[in-house]
Amino acid sequence: MLGTCLENVRKKSPLVHNITNYVTVNDVANAILAAGGSPIMADEPSDAEEITKICNALNINIGTLNSRTIDAMHRAGKMSQKFGHTNLLDPVGAGASSLRTQTALNLMREIRFDVIRGNASEIKTLVKGSGTTHGVDADKADAVSDDNLDYMTWFVKDFARSTGAVIALTGAIDLVADSEKCYVIRNGRAEMGRITGTGCQLSGIMAAFAAANPDNVLEACAASVCMMGLAGEIGYTHLQPYEGNSSYRNRIIDAIYNMTADTLNEGARYEVR
Amino acid sequence: MLGTCLENVRKKSPLVHNITNYVTVNDVANAILAAGGSPIMADEPSDAEEITKICNALNINIGTLNSRTIDAMHRAGKMSQKFGHTNLLDPVGAGASSLRTQTALNLMREIRFDVIRGNASEIKTLVKGSGTTHGVDADKADAVSDDNLDYMTWFVKDFARSTGAVIALTGAIDLVADSEKCYVIRNGRAEMGRITGTGCQLSGIMAAFAAANPDNVLEACAASVCMMGLAGEIGYTHLQPYEGNSSYRNRIIDAIYNMTADTLNEGARYEVR
Amino acid sequence: MLGTCLENVRKKSPLVHNITNYVTVNDVANAILAAGGSPIMADEPSDAEEITKICNALNINIGTLNSRTIDAMHRAGKMSQKFGHTNLLDPVGAGASSLRTQTALNLMREIRFDVIRGNASEIKTLVKGSGTTHGVDADKADAVSDDNLDYMTWFVKDFARSTGAVIALTGAIDLVADSEKCYVIRNGRAEMGRITGTGCQLSGIMAAFAAANPDNVLEACAASVCMMGLAGEIGYTHLQPYEGNSSYRNRIIDAIYNMTADTLNEGARYEVR
């Protein structure tokens, strides 16, 4: 059950090392804490390598990457893999610039990721090896819809097969798959796209879920996606008419903080294909 | 009409590349999203140069600058100019250190800015080529008041003439001018000065407004200043007695999110000189 | 009286230069503003050195340190000391990696700090010269409790004696000591540990308090600790049942913003040993 995955996060409080962008890093930290994990950030190469050793998971997010942090990503990623920790890649902006695309591809070449989470354009860029995303949001043409759901379900399973990672392709409809099974998730609200960093927060939380449920990584990742979307639904009900995206950001993290296993089990909307 | 400028932002959703400080960057991103634009951040020189190509505007903010990001500012600025995008400079702390003053002056020498937005001390530093600001807030002696309004109106028009940029000098009274016309704007509240980054947020929003209204940059910049001040007024009415600057920050971004063209047209308080 | 220390911050509005981590920097800035101080951030070495000159205090926080910012810390710290400003060290993660431990120890060797603030594990690492902290939170085994209060009181006084600094060791029970006197403070709530950066915020505020009360640094530091904890207590009373750590973060800063000398005097819970 998805709720059990959440309870394991609360019980084990996994320490998640985040090498992530400075735009959304504070919300990532508070979201991980809200979920029951413990965040730490370090991006100087030698420090990142050492900090990773004491952690349970590594969340590599390539937004606002630079040459120093790219080095840190590689060194920490290899160390994390060596120690058998959970490795997650969030290829922010892959397809929007060659540095981002190449960095994501290089990381995938050198490090075995347990989980890769991105929007449709980013994931397609990783599969094709190049892309033309306009910005950090997914192109509309790439979106998962009921019309292309069969194809996209096959697509993410196939990418899971070739990488050995759980693939989480998130958007209006979220797909979370290994090579055999794909969760098709319909939690969440469109207004979440008007907040910066809900995807980054999800990656941090997902790393905590995967680390706390090592025998059940696929379901744990699906649970984190359902929880994030459900928190978006719950948070929205507490908004006043005069409130907007800044308050909504707080309400979502608050809803994660107050999420129970029962609420998650009852509110999760998904099918498995 | 000012409201039309806002509607154009909502309609076109300009992609704004921000090379900005890490103190207020999250609020800048959420403020741009609230206004209807789309933010992206990249500050590794090669990445910044490439990301700028897919954007509509570039917002260069020199707070927490370093040698790497200064290089990124120059390279992205030149690329943005080459592509005919909107270029905005926010010279945070010009006058407070020689690196900041010189960086702002060097950028102005090498890049043609469409808009320059700063407080009175920062703008005076740019005009004189040196300054003695104490921190990142304007010195009281530099403030625009009814007593020096004629002179200051001339001063910003003259700077607009010499630079070819729209100049936005913001404070208790805001001045937004090209060489011919100056908007004198009286929206806003003093308590906004107790929140970090309202100026940075305004610069990001202003870049979006200027990019979405290329034939009407002066009015678009004035519209963004009126909107920010009006959001400060509206947000304040929703504060509880026990709330302070942290909630006020959220309320202002929320008010931008809910701003309509009508509200802006009715609430804007300005005269043109 | 503690309230007088707060009034001095409000009256003098000390300018606090923060070389701090990018995770919590925005909250640090808003917390300093809420307390009545004025924040500025600069971490490029030459800029940091020059910006420090116009400030009243320097807050060095080693979270997300890198080789460039470590250089900035040293140069700014020496300049700040030369100008007789207040120097504060927050050794975030000392004990969690050798870079963090060594950086903190090197800074203490080269710069005379007026105040050192950390959790129990960080402070113990500085005393012993090495440590094994798991993350950026204190190990439970290191916590101050009623059982070890006599020893820990002696411990912080002894460290204050050997360093010449006021030592603030914060946790469920906070200790603020010079070589003669130790404030044992019991304000605050456990839920504050579920928010990222309350410790970082406290360091920024403490630097402002110390700078505004140069003849009374020990009491000023104790006042800032009582105020932060009391703000945590007050902020908690304004939380709705559906709110969590993200809203709580705002409520605490709001409570600092609205804190009066009387509220602080009445709500502070401490004894002097």
Side-chain angles (χ1 to χ4, degrees), chain C residues 107-251:
Chain C
L107 286 165
M108 289 173 63
R109 211 168 286 126
E110 299 209 7
I111 298 157
R112 193 207 162 284
F113 286 99
D114 301 284
V115 188
I116 299 171
R117 191 214 68 82
N119 65 38
S121 298
E122 291 158 352
I123 298 294
K124 284 188 175 174
T125 296
L126 299 186
V127 171
K128 293 194 302 179
S130 67
T132 56
T133 323
H134 291 292
V136 289
D137 296 314
D139 286 351
K140 278 185 191 139
D142 292 332
V144 178
S145 68
D146 283 310
D147 291 340
N148 64 17
L149 192 54
D150 282 345
Y151 168 73
M152 289 302 294
T153 303
W154 169 84
F155 175 83
V156 292
K157 282 183 183 173
D158 191 59
F159 190 42
R161 190 175 300 119
S162 68
T163 56
V166 167
I167 305 299
L169 185 161
T170 58
I173 300 174
D174 308 300
L175 305 179
V176 182
D178 62 13
S179 60
E180 303 290 328
K181 249 168 94 170
C182 179
Y183 285 79
V184 179
I185 300 170
R186 292 170 192 270
N187 287 106
R189 290 190 63 95
E191 291 86 353
M192 298 173 78
R194 297 284 297 278
I195 305 167
T196 192
T198 48
C200 303
Q201 291 174 40
L202 177 54
S203 290
I205 292 170
M206 197 178 283
F209 268 73
N213 296 279
D215 301 329
N216 211 4
V217 172
L218 174 65
E219 193 185 16
C221 291
S224 68
V225 172
C226 291
M227 186 178 78
M228 188 78 200
L230 185 57
E233 297 169 26
I234 294 170
Y236 197 82
T237 66
H238 297 302
L239 285 181
Q240 300 297 318
Y242 54 83
E243 292 184 322
N245 62 336
S246 191
S247 288
Y248 192 23
R249 176 258 310 268
N250 295 315
R251 295 270 173 261

Side-chain angles (χ1 to χ4, degrees), chain B:
Chain B
M1 297 288 285
L2 303 185
T4 310
C5 296
L6 170 60
E7 281 172 344
N8 284 334
V9 177
R10 297 264 157 86
K11 212 177 299 167
K12 300 180 183 177
S13 194
L15 188 53
V16 180
H17 177 199
N18 303 276
I19 304 180
T20 188
N21 68 79
Y22 56 80
V23 184
T24 66
V25 60
N26 185 268
D27 290 333
V28 169
N30 276 326
I32 290 173
L33 284 161
S38 185
I40 188 166
M41 280 69 175
D43 66 10
E44 171 75 0
S46 69
D47 198 47
E49 197 171 49
E50 195 177 350
I51 288 289
T52 274
K53 291 187 198 172
I54 59 168
C55 294
N56 305 103
L58 174 63
N59 169 30
I60 295 180
N61 172 310
I62 67 168
T64 68
L65 78 185
N66 63 52
S67 57
R68 176 175 57 77
T69 58
I70 292 170
D71 186 16
M73 292 171 191
H74 279 279
R75 288 174 61 173
K78 282 176 196 162
M79 187 60 74
S80 181
Q81 179 175 339
K82 187 175 153 190
F83 275 66
H85 300 167
T86 302
N87 269 342
L88 183 146
L89 174 65
D90 185 339
V92 177
S97 77
S98 52
L99 181 67
R100 292 176 188 234
T101 304
Q102 287 312 313
T103 297
L105 294 173
N106 289 343
L107 287 165
M108 289 173 62
R109 211 168 285 126
E110 300 208 8
I111 299 157
R112 193 206 162 283
F113 286 99
D114 302 284
V115 188
I116 300 171
R117 192 214 68 81
N119 66 38
S121 298
E122 291 159 352
I123 299 295
K124 285 189 175 176
T125 296
L126 299 185
V127 172
K128 292 193 304 179
S130 67
T132 55
T133 323
H134 292 293
V136 289
D137 296 314
D139 286 352
K140 279 188 189 137
D142 292 332
V144 177
S145 68
D146 283 309
D147 291 342
N148 64 18
L149 192 53
D150 281 345
Y151 167 74
M152 289 303 293
T153 303
W154 169 85
F155 175 83
V156 291
K157 282 182 183 172
D158 191 58
F159 190 42
R161 190 174 300 119
S162 68
T163 56
V166 168
I167 305 299
L169 185 160
T170 58
I173 300 173
D174 307 301
L175 305 178
V176 182
D178 63 13
S179 61
E180 303 291 328
K181 248 169 96 171
C182 180
Y183 286 79
V184 179
I185 300 170
R186 292 169 193 270
N187 287 105
R189 290 189 63 94
E191 291 85 354
M192 297 173 78
R194 297 285 297 278
I195 304 168
T196 192
T198 49
C200 303
Q201 291 174 40
L202 177 53
S203 289
I205 293 169
M206 196 178 283
F209 268 72
N213 296 278
D215 300 329
N216 211 3
V217 172
L218 174 65
E219 193 186 16
C221 291
S224 68
V225 172
C226 290
M227 185 179 77
M228 187 78 200
L230 185 57
E233 297 168 27
I234 293 170
Y236 197 83
T237 65
H238 297 301
L239 285 181
Q240 301 298 318
Y242 56 82
E243 293 184 322
N245 62 336
S246 189
S247 288
Y248 192 25
R249 175 257 310 265
N250 295 316
R251 296 269 172 262
I252 293 172
I253 298 175
D254 286 351
I256 295 168
Y257 186 91
N258 289 305
M259 187 73 62
T260 63
D262 285 348
T263 308
L264 177 54
N265 284 333
E266 284 158 28
R269 289 184 290 151
Y270 66 92
E271 54 176 325
V272 179
R273 291 203 176 197

Side-chain angles (χ1 to χ4, degrees), chain A residues 10 15 18 20-22 25-27 29-31 33-36 38-44 46-47 50-51 54 68 238 240 249-251 253-255 257-258, chain C residues 22-25 27 63-68 93 96-100 133-137 191 193-196 240-251:
Chain A
R10 297 265 157 85
L15 188 54
N18 303 276
T20 188
N21 68 78
Y22 56 80
V25 61
N26 186 266
D27 290 332
N30 276 326
L33 284 161
S38 184
I40 188 166
M41 279 70 174
D43 67 9
E44 172 75 359
S46 68
D47 198 45
E50 195 177 350
I51 288 289
I54 58 168
R68 176 175 55 77
H238 297 301
Q240 300 297 318
R249 176 256 311 264
N250 295 316
R251 296 269 173 262
I253 298 175
D254 287 351
Y257 186 91
N258 290 304
Chain C
Y22 56 80
V23 184
T24 66
V25 60
D27 290 333
T64 69
L65 78 185
N66 63 50
S67 57
R68 176 175 55 75
S97 77
S98 53
L99 182 66
R100 291 175 189 233
T133 323
H134 291 292
V136 289
D137 296 314
E191 291 86 353
R194 297 284 297 278
I195 305 167
T196 192
Q240 300 297 318
Y242 54 83
E243 292 184 322
N245 62 336
S246 191
S247 288
Y248 192 23
R249 176 258 310 268
N250 295 315
R251 295 270 173 261

